[in-house]
């Protein structure tokens, strides 16, 4: 069984529909045997998203708490019609380590494959975005081969989201075909929980079972090895998560 070292998609109770504090999420990561957690609350365009000040103020969160590295992140909303993202000042974005961009129904009412594909092509060109989030959502069909085949050129990675597999109808088959394309084009992925409560941090069994089922290579899963993940953050943000020290701000 593949074992993960980090959960890179989690929400804290700065959004009202999530239930745990940052400290509780860190404890959840510890209980799950992880070494790192990314806090990725929704961008301001989402109903119940965080105010943009939340993201700049992630600077006061220690880099390492109780042995767990804390990655400063956001889940941005892809916006219609052409794939812009939440309107946030650059100074708020610059300090973020990890930026997921995802389709959400309240922000981008689903249209058709052409429109979704065009929006994702804009996201590929957005220099702040690191990760395409929960692409398996059946409501947002898109030209999978066209997008996945361009990910390495734009240094984007793809998320396989366990929560989607569990709650979004039809997601499993989409996730499977997206993962197979990642194998074909050697695109790195991350496997995440998208947890909204501390007890779900690191819970990714359905996603990992699907990946094992299709023989997905472990070396393409960035968060299955701490050195691999550290190399990734060094490359995209020039931060060294190996050097994070306890309670370092
Ligand atoms: Zn989402
Ligand atoms: Zn989420």
């Amino acid at each position: 069984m593949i074992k993960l070292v980090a959960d890179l998609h989690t929400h804290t109770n700065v959004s009202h529909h999530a239930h745990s504090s940052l400290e509780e999420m860190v404890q959840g990561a510890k209980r799950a045997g992880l070494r790192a957690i990314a806090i990725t609350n929704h961008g301001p365009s989402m109903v119940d998203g965080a105010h943009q000040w939340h993201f700049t103020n992630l600077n006061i969160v220690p880099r390492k708490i109780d042995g767990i590295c804390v990655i400063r992140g956001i889940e941005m909303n892809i916006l219609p019609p052409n794939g812009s993202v939440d309107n946030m000042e650059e100074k708020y974005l610059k300090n973020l380590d990890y930026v997921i961009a995802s389709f959400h129904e309240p922000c981008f009412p689903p249209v058709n494959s052409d429109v979704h594909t065009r929006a994702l092509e804009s996201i590929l060109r957005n220099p702040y975005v690191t990760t395409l989030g929960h692409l398996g959502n059946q409501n947002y069909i898109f030209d999978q081969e066209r997008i996945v085949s361009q990910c390495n050129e734009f240094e984007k990675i793809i998320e396989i989201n366990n929560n989607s597999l569990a709650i979004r109808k039809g997601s499993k088959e989409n996730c499977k075909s997206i993962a197979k394309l990642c194998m074909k084009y050697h695109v790195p992925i991350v496997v995440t929980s998208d947890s909204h409560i501390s007890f779900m941090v690191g819970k990714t069994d359905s996603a990992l079972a699907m990946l094992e089922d299709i023989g997905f290579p472990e070396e393409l899963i960035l968060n299955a090895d701490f050195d691999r993940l550290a190399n990734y953050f060094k490359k995209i943000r020039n931060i060294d998560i190996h050097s994070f020290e306890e309670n370092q701000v």
Side-chain angles (χ1 to χ4, degrees):
M1 187 78 175
I2 299 162
K3 175 121 180 50
L4 299 181
V5 296
D7 193 341
L8 297 176
H9 188 150
T10 70
H11 298 274
T12 68
N13 57 7
V14 303
S15 303
H16 297 97
H17 66 288
H19 299 282
S20 300
S21 68
L22 185 141
E23 278 190 75
E24 290 163 344
M25 295 301 276
V26 167
Q27 290 310 315
K30 193 168 178 170
R31 281 196 301 275
L34 303 177
R35 293 177 65 184
I37 184 170
I39 304 295
T40 56
N41 284 303
H42 293 285
S45 304
M46 179 73 155
V47 184
D48 205 28
H51 191 277
Q52 60 177 349
W53 296 348
H54 161 78
F55 300 102
T56 186
N57 227 19
L58 285 173
N59 286 353
I60 65 168
V61 175
R63 279 302 197 180
K64 196 176 199 179
I65 304 171
D66 207 5
I68 303 295
C69 296
V70 181
I71 310 288
R72 299 166 178 167
I74 183 171
E75 182 179 20
M76 297 197 95
N77 300 288
I78 305 176
L79 300 178
N82 294 319
S84 56
V85 288
D86 308 68
N87 183 18
M88 285 173 64
E89 291 173 54
E90 213 177 332
K91 63 179 177 187
Y92 295 121
L93 282 171
K94 270 208 310 238
N95 289 325
L96 293 170
D97 305 326
Y98 189 70
V99 178
I100 307 167
S102 310
F103 286 116
H104 297 111
E105 286 81 355
C107 296
F108 195 130
V111 187
N112 59 39
S113 177
D114 281 352
V115 170
H116 306 153
T117 304
R118 259 203 312 278
L120 288 170
E121 290 204 301
S122 300
I123 296 297
L124 287 174
R125 288 166 176 76
N126 183 319
Y128 289 111
V129 173
T130 55
T131 308
L132 307 183
H134 53 69
L135 286 176
N137 187 345
Q138 182 68 19
N139 289 339
Y140 296 101
I141 47 165
F142 65 99
D143 185 338
Q144 295 179 354
E145 184 133 19
R146 189 173 170 90
I147 296 302
V148 175
S149 64
Q150 296 184 78
C151 279
N152 281 339
E153 182 186 345
F154 293 102
E155 292 194 313
K156 300 294 182 256
I157 61 175
I158 283 188
E159 173 190 272
I160 301 293
N161 181 305
N162 196 72
N163 197 30
S164 279
L165 282 174
I167 64 165
R168 292 191 168 100
K169 197 169 156 279
S171 190
K172 189 169 181 185
E173 286 315 304
N174 287 338
C175 288
K176 200 185 259 193
S177 61
I178 290 165
K180 283 182 178 168
L181 286 166
C182 291
M183 286 166 74
K184 179 175 171 186
Y185 291 101
H186 305 286
V187 173
I189 67 164
V190 290
V191 184
T192 67
S193 71
D194 201 352
S195 54
H196 289 64
I197 190 163
S198 61
F199 308 108
M200 298 293 289
V201 176
K203 297 271 189 292
T204 52
D205 288 357
S206 307
L208 290 175
M210 181 276 285
L211 292 169
E212 288 191 355
D213 191 40
I214 62 170
F216 195 89
E218 191 264 356
E219 60 271 19
L220 275 181
I221 306 175
L222 284 179
N223 59 334
D225 181 88
F226 195 75
D227 288 336
R228 193 180 298 144
L229 191 66
N231 287 340
Y232 171 72
F233 280 111
K234 186 85 192 140
K235 186 179 79 175
I236 57 152
R237 290 295 193 262
N238 200 26
I239 56 167
D240 181 7
I241 61 174
H242 276 299
S243 71
F244 287 1
E245 286 168 22
E246 203 60 30
N247 297 324
Q248 162 202 356
V249 175

